[in-house]
Amino acid sequence: MTTEPSRATTPLRTPGVSSWPKRIAWGILTLFLAAFAVFESQKYGLPTTAAALVFFVVPDLTRLAGIRAPGMLYQAVNRVWFPLVVLVGYAVGPIVWPPLFTAGLGWLTRIALDRTLGRGLTST
């Protein structure tokens, strides 16, 4: 006798079904972060806008520089934790420099957009 489950008792899994709730959540977060970045940029002016835009393209800059998935820098700029630490650190820390906060917003917005579109750390 075999110990393998029969095909009749094994539930069928449709590829991609479980990823839709995550992608919708990332999409909502992307919209919120983008709106917050625009609000902060209008409130504090050109330096905050420039910081948000520069850090929005940071993941692309590492990719264009030829730094791919095995590289530590590519992995670091595509992790949620680093911009999140910047945002939380700015919120609770003694530093008052709005471009730093909007840089974190732009960076996290880009990561959220990539996750919404289904691109993870290993995408090129």
Side-chain angles (χ1 to χ4, degrees), residues 100-121:
L100 179 63
F101 185 72
T102 56
L105 283 175
W107 191 3
L108 193 56
T109 301
R110 179 49 187 261
I111 293 170
L113 178 64
D114 284 345
R115 303 284 168 87
T116 300
L117 298 175
R119 291 182 262 172
L121 288 173

Side-chain angles (χ1 to χ4, degrees), residues 61-84:
L61 294 176
T62 59
R63 189 171 41 125
L64 292 174
I67 302 168
R68 300 288 178 182
M72 285 183 62
L73 181 61
Y74 180 84
Q75 293 285 335
V77 299
N78 286 293
R79 296 276 182 201
V80 173
W81 299 109
F82 291 110
L84 194 60

Side-chain angles (χ1 to χ4, degrees), residues 1 8 19 23 28 31-32 52 57 59 70 81-82 88 94 98 100 108:
M1 268 181 110
S19 69
R23 290 174 79 173
I28 292 168
L31 293 175
F32 172 75
V57 297
W81 299 109
F82 291 110
V88 171
L100 179 63
L108 193 56

Side-chain angles (χ1 to χ4, degrees), residues 40-96:
E40 290 292 320
S41 294
Q42 285 204 328
K43 186 176 177 183
Y44 292 108
L46 188 59
T48 57
T49 304
L53 291 175
V54 165
F55 276 83
F56 184 80
V57 297
V58 161
D60 283 337
L61 294 176
T62 59
R63 189 171 41 125
L64 292 174
I67 302 168
R68 300 288 178 182
M72 285 183 62
L73 181 61
Y74 180 84
Q75 293 285 335
V77 299
N78 286 293
R79 296 276 182 201
V80 173
W81 299 109
F82 291 110
L84 194 60
V85 165
V86 170
L87 294 174
V88 171
Y90 180 84
V92 299
I95 298 172
V96 179

